Amino acid sequence: MNFFYRILSPLFTVVFCLLLAQTQFFPWLADVSLDILFAVRGPKSTSQSIIIVGIDEQTLKGLGPWPFPRSVHARLLEKLGSARSIGFDLIFDHEDAQDTVFLEAITSSPPVSLAVATNYQGELLFPSEILSNHVRIGHIETLLGKDGVVRRVELEKWDRPVISATMLSPAGVDEVANNMNGSPTIINFYGPEFTFLSVSYIDVLQGKVDKDFFRDRLVMIGSQALALGDVHITPFSRKHPVPGVPPREIQ
């Protein structure tokens, strides 16, 4: 009898594991374990080399309606001349009469990255042609877990690196490309919302933030207002979702 138990126990274990593999149990367990690890580790301090220029409620109240004219973004770039690199977590897919004004600001500013993403029909939305030839382009597609929580990022999509990689430098993009294995990469979140240095878009535009504050830093511009809808739940989310504007630290 003991012989049969010794044979059947491993067999039942293997069958049980195979059955579980057909469900979402193991991915769920991996996500739960990751969330626990973040909770145990707790928030971390950042390098202070990244600044978020957020389009917050104050900005919408002062500059609305959304979207802003591209001449407004051009004026913003004039305030960021000392930055190392600038990224817009915004879509500029349609041709616009103010593209020329925006382009003039881009060509006289630090390197600028613009975003590519898909619409609800699955169509790729690239920056307008007049802008595309003078900027770096990276994707901003958000990868949601089965439970709606953001834990991972695709380093490349549609033959484009994630936009935070394009901001580093051409060498930075190559480094990301060399480390791509086709699988989503775990995001090493440093903490909840506003963990990274953050200033209001309208404060920068109105000159309330000293230009030297941006010197040699990576500046990402994107939405922070809940009304714009670009907010997500992360392992660190508690009372509020985290604005979708990257960069989020990648492990």
Side-chain angles (χ1 to χ4, degrees), residues 20-201:
L20 284 179
Q22 303 305 310
T23 70
Q24 293 297 316
F25 176 76
F26 288 119
W28 172 83
L29 184 61
D31 288 344
V32 170
S33 301
L34 183 61
D35 292 350
I36 291 173
L37 287 174
F38 276 126
V40 171
R41 190 207 69 186
K44 293 178 61 179
S45 59
T46 70
S47 66
Q48 307 294 295
S49 63
I50 298 169
I51 299 177
I52 306 297
V53 175
I55 302 168
D56 53 9
E57 284 79 5
Q58 176 186 349
T59 301
L60 293 179
K61 184 177 180 179
L63 299 177
W66 180 257
F68 303 149
R70 294 183 185 176
S71 59
V72 175
H73 297 305
R75 286 164 47 206
L76 182 79
L77 285 177
E78 294 174 2
K79 309 292 185 180
L80 303 175
S82 64
R84 173 183 167 191
S85 182
I86 301 166
F88 282 87
D89 183 19
L90 305 170
I91 300 295
F92 299 98
D93 60 303
H94 62 279
E95 301 290 335
D96 188 276
Q98 296 185 354
D99 275 348
T100 302
V101 175
F102 192 25
L103 179 61
E104 289 177 0
I106 288 173
T107 54
S108 60
S109 76
V112 171
S113 296
L114 297 184
V116 60
T118 57
N119 60 17
Y120 288 116
Q121 290 71 46
E123 302 167 330
L124 275 177
L125 303 176
F126 280 91
S128 64
E129 186 174 352
I130 191 174
L131 301 176
S132 292
N133 295 328
H134 298 85
V135 297
R136 302 170 184 174
I137 298 177
H139 83 80
I140 55 170
E141 201 80 353
T142 300
L143 191 61
L144 301 179
K146 293 289 185 181
D147 55 359
V149 178
V150 176
R151 298 182 180 89
R152 294 170 178 82
V153 64
E154 293 183 271
L155 295 181
E156 183 183 55
K157 198 165 187 176
W158 315 303
D159 295 324
R160 298 288 178 175
V162 64
I163 193 170
S164 51
T166 69
M167 293 177 61
L168 296 176
S169 68
V173 175
D174 292 340
E175 182 179 349
V176 170
N178 292 335
N179 285 281
M180 287 187 300
N181 56 13
S183 300
T185 297
I186 293 173
I187 300 172
N188 181 19
F189 288 100
Y190 273 34
E193 61 274 20
F194 308 116
T195 294
F196 289 92
L197 289 173
S198 180
V199 293
S200 174
Y201 185 110

Side-chain angles (χ1 to χ4, degrees), residues 51 79-80 199-214:
I51 299 177
K79 309 292 185 180
L80 303 175
V199 293
S200 174
Y201 185 110
I202 195 169
D203 284 348
V204 178
L205 190 67
Q206 295 178 345
K208 295 179 181 179
V209 182
D210 194 291
K211 291 183 179 181
D212 280 341
F213 180 68
F214 303 101

